[in-house]
Amino acid sequence: GGTGSGAAPVVAEAARACGALTVAVVTKPFGFEGRRRARQAVAALEELERAVDTLVVVSNDRLLSIVPPDAPLADAFLVADDVLRQGVVGVSEIIVKPGLINVDFADVRAVMKDAGAALIGVGTGRGPRRAEDAAVAAISSPLLEAPVLNARGIVFNIVGPPSMTLGEVDRAARIIYENVDADANIIFGALVQDGMDEELSITVLATGIAASVLERAVSAPVDLRPLLPGPGGPRRAPGLPAFLRRSQGRG
């Protein structure tokens, strides 16, 4: 299942025993699925965490804050799938794809080996301040259930169109460096990718989150305030995937 139950711990343990860097990306159930489901998920996460190097947890409830309230159910679940995809692709592309700034696998392994619980943030930006906007959105992403300042390791990847400049990479990286622990081990890469439509995307993976912090995050209730109408109506969700914006005609 999405919570990492079933055979996932067995497969992960076998992979880790072979010397592979083992990373699990799992989802936490929606609150409306009930307490029993939540307890089962927590038990599965605890078992899986013992079998992997890094365990990335994405809360489905947190996804509510980046999905427009009028989004069809099918599109809402596509957002969940796309966030997980961005997390996996963002980290793997740092290693396997040549970019403006390349990262050796040994560097990524140093951050993610025996790292324990981890969280992921995704941000996008457009326009003249797209680099800064994407960086701020990534480190303040609604998906992050604990501040990145609490992390002992950071892996982040900057992906942009051919027009992305080294100056933009530098400005985005500076924002992230200035907002994480000074002693954190930070690894990052930058990749130019066709088809980005002048959009710049940043994926941040925060590792080494303290157990007590993650425990509080697992039991934290969902914040529904972003979905409530305000003076100007519901707030637009930051970092909404491009495919969903296009499907809703929002640019």
Side-chain angles (χ1 to χ4, degrees):
T3 55
S5 53
V10 177
V11 175
E13 194 169 6
R16 198 176 184 189
C18 293
L21 178 65
T22 310
V23 181
V25 182
V26 299
T27 55
K28 198 175 70 179
F30 288 105
F32 58 70
E33 294 183 67
R35 293 182 180 178
R36 181 175 179 181
R37 173 73 169 156
R39 286 195 296 268
Q40 291 172 339
V42 170
L45 290 174
E46 290 173 347
E47 183 178 358
L48 185 58
E49 185 176 2
R50 291 192 291 268
V52 299
D53 288 301
T54 300
L55 176 65
V56 181
V57 181
V58 176
S59 168
N60 280 343
D61 274 344
R62 289 273 176 169
L63 290 170
L64 289 175
S65 61
I66 65 170
V67 178
D70 57 345
L73 182 62
D75 283 351
F77 281 108
L78 282 175
V79 171
D81 292 342
D82 194 63
V83 167
L84 296 180
R85 179 196 63 79
Q86 287 184 57
V88 174
V89 171
V91 174
S92 62
E93 283 186 342
I94 270 186
I95 305 164
V96 301
K97 283 194 175 182
L100 287 174
I101 300 173
N102 295 318
V103 177
D104 190 83
F105 177 69
D107 295 328
V108 177
R109 188 183 184 93
V111 173
M112 302 185 72
K113 178 71 174 173
D114 298 322
L119 298 172
I120 193 168
V122 179
T124 59
R126 286 173 173 269
R129 289 183 53 83
R130 61 185 180 181
E132 293 89 333
D133 291 345
V136 170
I139 60 177
S140 60
S141 170
L143 301 177
L144 290 168
E145 300 192 61
V148 293
L149 185 60
N150 292 326
R152 294 193 299 270
I154 298 286
V155 178
F156 69 95
N157 193 24
I158 305 173
V159 182
S163 62
M164 180 174 68
T165 67
L166 190 58
E168 287 181 313
V169 172
D170 176 67
R171 293 197 298 274
R174 284 177 183 273
I175 288 175
I176 294 175
Y177 277 117
E178 290 169 1
N179 286 277
V180 300
D181 192 298
D183 295 324
N185 188 3
I186 303 175
I187 302 296
F188 83 101
L191 174 68
V192 172
Q193 182 172 296
D194 293 327
M196 289 292 290
D197 193 28
E198 298 307 309
E199 182 176 77
L200 194 146
S201 173
I202 297 179
T203 301
V204 175
L205 183 71
T207 69
I209 302 294
S212 59
V213 173
L214 185 61
E215 253 177 45
R216 290 197 299 272
V218 165
S219 59
V222 61
D223 181 6
L224 295 178
R225 284 174 297 176
L227 302 184
L228 298 177
R235 287 180 287 174
R236 175 173 176 173
L240 193 65
F243 80 90
L244 186 53
R245 290 201 305 270
R246 289 194 296 269
S247 71
Q248 304 217 351
R250 299 190 179 189

